[in-house]
Amino acid sequence: MSQPCGHLDFYPNNGKEQPGCDITQTPLVPLTLIRDGLEEASRVLVACNHVRAIKLFIDSINTQCPYIGHQCSTFEQFMSGKCFTCKPGSTNCAIMGYHADASPGIENNEIAESKFTDLIGNKYFLTTGREFPFCRRLYRVRIELAKPRMAESWVQGFIKASIYSSAGVIHVDLTPSGETKLEHGTTFTSVVSHPADLGGNIKKVELSWEYELNVLEPKTICIFWCNDHLYVESISVDEMAMPGRGKRDAPFSNRLCPKGKKTYSDIASRGKGVFVDLCKQSDKFDKS
C-alpha cells in the first residue's frame, strides 16, 4: 500500500521497483536457483519487490550502515536534495528497520507525546543497493555553475564524479535518469548512494562531462554555432549521518573549487574538471 499508515512509514527506492528485481535485465532467477534453491527462486520470480522488505529488515539488524530515511513530500524532491537534514529530536529523519526506535523524535523506546502528531502521515524515503548488503550511504552533490560571457544559457548532457577522501574513492553517476538540462548561473543538485563511507574530509573531486545533442532541439546541435562546454565554480559534497552523542550532529560538508586562482573550471565535452582547493569562506554559495 502506498498510503502512510504507521508511526514511521518508509519507502525504499520510492517503495516500488527495487534494484535487482528486474528479471529482464539480469539472470536473477537462474542464479538464485543455483545458489539458494527452488523455493527462493520462486519467490524472486513471483514477488521479488515484496520479499525485499523482509531482506531489508534482516539486513538492518546487525548492519554498521544505518538505513536513514528522510522525510519528504515526494521521492523526486528527495533525490533532488531538497530533504537532506537530520537534527537531534526532529522528525525529518528516521532509521528504517530493527533499530527504528533509535530514530530522532522517539525517546526511551516510546513515542514522545509532543512528537506523536508530527510522525503520523510522514513519508521517509531512502535508496538501497541491488544485493546484500543492501544499505547505502547517502551523498548530496551540489554543483555551482558559472556563467561567463562565452557560455550558453544552458547545455544538456551527462555528469559523473569521482570523489576522493582519506578513506578511499567512490565513482558516482550524477545524472542517472539520463541526459539532464543544466542552466549556467544556477546550482545543480543530485543525491547519490554508495556502500562506502567517506567519513568526511573530501580531498578531491573529478567531474566528467559529456554533452548530448537532441535532433529535435536545434539549439543542442553544437557543430559551429554553439558552445558545448560546462562551466563550474565549485562542488559541494554532503554525507548524511544520524545525530547522536559522540557523533557529528550534522552531515559533513566539503566545498571544493578549481585549483589555483581560477574562478571556474571550463570543462569541454568528454573532458574532466578537477576540484582540489577548499573554497574560501567568503566565496558565494547557498548553504541551505
Side-chain angles (χ1 to χ4, degrees):
M1 57 191 301
S2 59
Q3 288 76 22
C5 60
H7 296 124
L8 298 170
D9 291 272
F10 297 93
Y11 297 78
N13 309 296
N14 204 19
K16 298 179 181 179
E17 297 294 329
Q18 299 300 302
C21 282
D22 189 347
I23 62 175
T24 64
Q25 297 181 0
T26 61
L28 189 62
V29 175
L31 288 178
T32 306
L33 179 62
I34 296 172
R35 186 178 58 193
D36 301 320
L38 179 60
E39 183 177 356
E40 182 64 18
S42 299
R43 289 175 180 166
V44 169
L45 179 62
V46 177
C48 177
N49 294 300
H50 296 284
V51 173
R52 183 61 58 84
I54 301 171
K55 294 183 177 181
L56 291 176
F57 188 88
I58 293 173
D59 187 34
S60 74
I61 296 174
N62 293 319
T63 182
Q64 298 299 310
C65 169
Y67 282 93
I68 304 176
H70 300 261
Q71 194 275 321
C72 211
S73 299
T74 65
F75 186 69
E76 290 72 25
Q77 285 192 341
F78 163 68
M79 292 301 293
S80 65
K82 296 179 180 178
C83 310
F84 207 75
T85 57
C86 193
K87 298 179 180 180
S90 71
T91 59
N92 51 21
C93 60
I95 301 176
M96 185 182 76
Y98 184 76
H99 300 286
D101 58 357
S103 300
I106 298 180
E107 303 168 1
N108 300 321
N109 295 331
E110 294 182 358
I111 300 175
E113 290 294 332
S114 60
K115 301 295 182 182
F116 185 84
T117 55
D118 293 336
L119 290 170
I120 302 300
N122 286 346
K123 292 185 176 183
Y124 293 89
F125 297 99
L126 68 157
T127 58
T128 67
R130 57 185 298 111
E131 57 188 6
F132 181 87
F134 297 101
C135 187
R136 294 292 184 268
R137 306 281 178 173
L138 292 176
Y139 298 92
R140 179 174 63 179
V141 181
R142 293 181 290 180
I143 302 174
E144 187 178 9
L145 299 172
K147 194 175 183 180
R149 184 172 56 182
M150 64 281 199
E152 296 289 336
S153 59
W154 60 270
V155 290
Q156 66 179 27
F158 310 96
I159 306 178
K160 294 183 179 180
S162 297
I163 305 172
Y164 297 79
S165 80
S166 54
V169 58
I170 65 172
H171 306 284
V172 293
D173 185 357
L174 301 182
T175 52
S177 299
E179 61 186 50
T180 301
K181 184 177 180 179
L182 304 165
E183 295 186 19
H184 285 110
T186 66
T187 300
F188 169 75
T189 304
S190 178
V191 172
V192 295
S193 61
H194 197 278
D197 181 6
L198 293 180
N201 194 19
I202 302 299
K203 302 289 187 181
K204 180 175 71 171
V205 175
E206 290 182 353
L207 200 67
S208 300
W209 159 249
E210 182 175 354
Y211 184 84
E212 177 72 7
L213 63 84
N214 185 343
V215 294
L216 299 180
E217 295 188 53
K219 287 188 65 176
T220 68
I221 303 176
C222 278
I223 300 177
F224 301 110
W225 57 86
C226 75
N227 183 354
D228 61 6
H229 289 211
L230 186 70
Y231 298 89
V232 179
E233 285 187 12
S234 65
I235 298 178
S236 177
V237 181
D238 308 324
E239 180 181 3
M240 181 55 66
M242 290 300 296
R245 188 174 300 173
K247 300 179 180 179
R248 56 182 182 265
D249 288 337
F252 78 69
S253 181
N254 292 265
R255 180 174 173 244
L256 301 179
C257 286
K259 186 177 181 179
K261 297 182 179 180
K262 295 180 180 179
T263 57
Y264 60 83
S265 177
D266 179 353
I267 310 175
S269 180
R270 300 188 179 180
K272 289 184 178 180
V274 179
F275 301 80
V276 293
D277 290 349
L278 289 175
C279 303
K280 297 178 181 179
Q281 291 185 357
S282 59
D283 290 345
K284 168 184 163 292
F285 190 74
D286 180 11
K287 296 182 179 180
S288 63

